[in-house]
mmCIF file of all heavy atoms in Angstrom:
data_model
loop_
_atom_site.group_PDB
_atom_site.id
_atom_site.type_symbol
_atom_site.label_atom_id
_atom_site.label_comp_id
_atom_site.label_asym_id
_atom_site.label_seq_id
_atom_site.Cartn_x
_atom_site.Cartn_y
_atom_site.Cartn_z
ATOM 1 N N ILE A 7 102.458 103.389 125.325
ATOM 2 C CA ILE A 7 103.866 103.152 125.613
ATOM 3 C C ILE A 7 104.711 104.364 125.170
ATOM 4 O O ILE A 7 104.619 104.844 124.067
ATOM 5 C CB ILE A 7 104.371 101.889 124.857
ATOM 6 C CG1 ILE A 7 103.593 100.653 125.340
ATOM 7 C CG2 ILE A 7 105.891 101.719 125.016
ATOM 8 C CD1 ILE A 7 103.780 100.342 126.826
ATOM 9 N N ARG A 9 108.896 105.849 125.521
ATOM 10 C CA ARG A 9 110.260 105.476 125.869
ATOM 11 C C ARG A 9 111.198 106.590 125.400
ATOM 12 O O ARG A 9 111.072 107.108 124.328
ATOM 13 C CB ARG A 9 110.675 104.144 125.232
ATOM 14 C CG ARG A 9 111.997 103.598 125.721
ATOM 15 C CD ARG A 9 111.887 103.093 127.146
ATOM 16 N NE ARG A 9 113.084 102.442 127.617
ATOM 17 C CZ ARG A 9 114.025 103.043 128.360
ATOM 18 N NH1 ARG A 9 113.867 104.314 128.735
ATOM 19 N NH2 ARG A 9 115.073 102.398 128.778
ATOM 20 N N VAL A 139 113.766 68.460 114.193
ATOM 21 C CA VAL A 139 113.736 69.762 113.509
ATOM 22 C C VAL A 139 115.106 70.130 112.966
ATOM 23 O O VAL A 139 115.249 70.616 111.853
ATOM 24 C CB VAL A 139 113.178 70.852 114.434
ATOM 25 C CG1 VAL A 139 113.401 72.263 113.849
ATOM 26 C CG2 VAL A 139 111.701 70.633 114.693
ATOM 27 N N GLU A 196 107.934 80.524 107.130
ATOM 28 C CA GLU A 196 106.618 80.996 106.759
ATOM 29 C C GLU A 196 105.540 79.950 106.968
ATOM 30 O O GLU A 196 104.436 80.272 107.421
ATOM 31 C CB GLU A 196 106.630 81.438 105.276
ATOM 32 C CG GLU A 196 107.442 82.723 105.070
ATOM 33 C CD GLU A 196 107.624 83.029 103.588
ATOM 34 O OE1 GLU A 196 107.265 82.222 102.735
ATOM 35 O OE2 GLU A 196 108.185 84.126 103.295
ATOM 36 N N ARG A 247 99.143 103.584 102.614
ATOM 37 C CA ARG A 247 100.034 104.711 103.048
ATOM 38 C C ARG A 247 100.143 105.743 101.956
ATOM 39 O O ARG A 247 100.043 106.934 102.214
ATOM 40 C CB ARG A 247 101.401 104.143 103.407
ATOM 41 C CG ARG A 247 102.368 105.240 103.894
ATOM 42 C CD ARG A 247 103.793 104.672 103.958
ATOM 43 N NE ARG A 247 104.263 104.191 102.645
ATOM 44 C CZ ARG A 247 105.448 103.608 102.470
ATOM 45 N NH1 ARG A 247 106.277 103.483 103.471
ATOM 46 N NH2 ARG A 247 105.798 103.234 101.260
ATOM 47 N N ARG A 267 94.023 132.862 99.890
ATOM 48 C CA ARG A 267 92.933 133.654 99.349
ATOM 49 C C ARG A 267 92.328 134.593 100.393
ATOM 50 O O ARG A 267 92.111 135.779 100.142
ATOM 51 C CB ARG A 267 91.867 132.737 98.796
ATOM 52 C CG ARG A 267 90.757 133.479 98.052
ATOM 53 C CD ARG A 267 89.645 132.510 97.636
ATOM 54 N NE ARG A 267 88.887 132.022 98.788
ATOM 55 C CZ ARG A 267 87.895 132.690 99.405
ATOM 56 N NH1 ARG A 267 87.595 133.921 98.962
ATOM 57 N NH2 ARG A 267 87.260 132.168 100.415
ATOM 58 N N GLN A 302 80.975 155.622 107.847
ATOM 59 C CA GLN A 302 80.262 154.325 107.968
ATOM 60 C C GLN A 302 80.803 153.315 107.007
ATOM 61 O O GLN A 302 80.999 152.133 107.350
ATOM 62 C CB GLN A 302 78.771 154.531 107.737
ATOM 63 C CG GLN A 302 77.906 153.306 108.046
ATOM 64 C CD GLN A 302 77.926 152.959 109.515
ATOM 65 O OE1 GLN A 302 77.864 153.862 110.385
ATOM 66 N NE2 GLN A 302 78.036 151.679 109.861
ATOM 67 N N ASN A 306 82.530 149.754 107.853
ATOM 68 C CA ASN A 306 82.045 148.467 107.304
ATOM 69 C C ASN A 306 83.212 147.632 106.744
ATOM 70 O O ASN A 306 83.254 146.435 106.879
ATOM 71 C CB ASN A 306 81.044 148.742 106.183
ATOM 72 C CG ASN A 306 79.708 149.239 106.702
ATOM 73 O OD1 ASN A 306 79.405 149.007 107.882
ATOM 74 N ND2 ASN A 306 78.929 149.870 105.842
ATOM 75 N N THR A 359 136.915 71.141 105.232
ATOM 76 C CA THR A 359 136.361 69.971 104.577
ATOM 77 C C THR A 359 135.457 70.313 103.375
ATOM 78 O O THR A 359 134.972 69.438 102.677
ATOM 79 C CB THR A 359 135.526 69.148 105.612
ATOM 80 O OG1 THR A 359 134.487 69.986 106.113
ATOM 81 C CG2 THR A 359 136.398 68.675 106.733
ATOM 82 N N SER A 383 126.179 76.309 100.403
ATOM 83 C CA SER A 383 126.459 75.759 99.082
ATOM 84 C C SER A 383 127.691 76.356 98.437
ATOM 85 O O SER A 383 128.156 75.847 97.408
ATOM 86 C CB SER A 383 125.258 75.969 98.178
ATOM 87 O OG SER A 383 124.995 77.334 98.002
ATOM 88 N N GLU A 450 133.702 116.883 101.943
ATOM 89 C CA GLU A 450 132.992 116.011 100.997
ATOM 90 C C GLU A 450 132.568 114.735 101.684
ATOM 91 O O GLU A 450 131.511 114.179 101.422
ATOM 92 C CB GLU A 450 133.843 115.745 99.787
ATOM 93 C CG GLU A 450 134.089 116.925 98.861
ATOM 94 C CD GLU A 450 134.882 116.531 97.628
ATOM 95 O OE1 GLU A 450 134.892 115.340 97.256
ATOM 96 O OE2 GLU A 450 135.477 117.424 97.021
ATOM 97 N N ALA A 483 127.739 104.234 101.030
ATOM 98 C CA ALA A 483 128.306 105.542 100.754
ATOM 99 C C ALA A 483 129.706 105.410 100.193
ATOM 100 O O ALA A 483 130.061 106.145 99.221
ATOM 101 C CB ALA A 483 128.368 106.399 102.031
ATOM 102 N N ALA A 506 115.058 102.232 102.263
ATOM 103 C CA ALA A 506 116.443 102.191 101.765
ATOM 104 C C ALA A 506 116.621 101.049 100.771
ATOM 105 O O ALA A 506 117.346 101.204 99.771
ATOM 106 C CB ALA A 506 117.431 102.103 102.924
#
Side-chain angles (χ1 to χ4, degrees):
I7 298 299
R9 189 72 175 96
V139 168
E196 290 171 354
R247 180 192 60 182
R267 186 186 70 81
Q302 188 67 40
N306 286 341
T359 59
S383 61
E450 291 184 22

